Amino acid sequence: MHIPPSGTTQYVKHMWVAHIDNQCVGYIHFLLEPEKRIKFMDAWVHKNHRRKSIFRKLWDTRWNFVQQYYKGYKAYAWCKPMSLPLLIEKGFKEGDNCVYVEKIV
């Protein structure tokens, strides 16, 4: 299921939801940014529904949508190591690595 942006121009975000029996079992997003850039954002699949190709179907649905409606835009993503092979498969180039850090202030 595609959830289009709300109509505001300040924050243009597209979302797709995978559902089974009216329950959300996964989602994926992208954010439209200035200068013809698209940020691929978080994706999630419920732990009871992983390893069933839901992530791949969501990813491919988003990718097909972007290819159809946003030709000429630059798409980019920050991804976890387990998602990297799919991005490489789709022609993305690997950039520098970054490391998550946190601190309670």
Side-chain angles (χ1 to χ4, degrees):
M1 171 190 311
H2 177 230
I3 301 172
S6 65
T8 65
T9 56
Q10 188 172 25
Y11 190 71
V12 181
K13 183 177 179 182
H14 288 264
M15 177 179 181
W16 287 263
V17 175
H19 55 90
I20 298 173
D21 297 329
N22 253 1
Q23 291 286 79
C24 175
V25 297
Y27 60 75
I28 200 164
H29 305 95
F30 81 78
L31 181 66
L32 199 56
E33 296 182 336
E35 300 181 21
K36 297 180 85 170
R37 291 171 49 97
I38 296 171
K39 181 179 183 180
F40 281 9
M41 298 176 69
D42 58 334
W44 167 82
V45 175
H46 188 280
K47 64 182 179 180
N48 294 343
H49 295 280
R50 293 182 184 151
R51 313 299 302 167
K52 298 178 182 178
S53 299
I54 293 171
F55 174 79
R56 171 66 90 144
K57 288 176 187 171
L58 286 167
W59 207 101
D60 286 345
T61 298
R62 176 182 65 184
W63 184 238
N64 292 337
F65 184 89
V66 166
Q67 287 184 309
Q68 181 176 355
Y69 295 103
Y70 294 101
K71 289 275 189 213
Y73 282 61
K74 179 182 280 186
Y76 73 97
W78 298 98
C79 67
K80 293 181 179 178
M82 64 188 300
S83 300
L84 184 58
L86 175 59
L87 289 152
I88 298 295
E89 173 189 315
K90 297 296 183 180
F92 284 72
K93 303 287 185 240
E94 186 175 356
D96 293 330
N97 292 325
C98 64
V99 177
Y100 171 80
V101 296
E102 71 178 11
K103 174 181 175 58
I104 296 175
V105 181

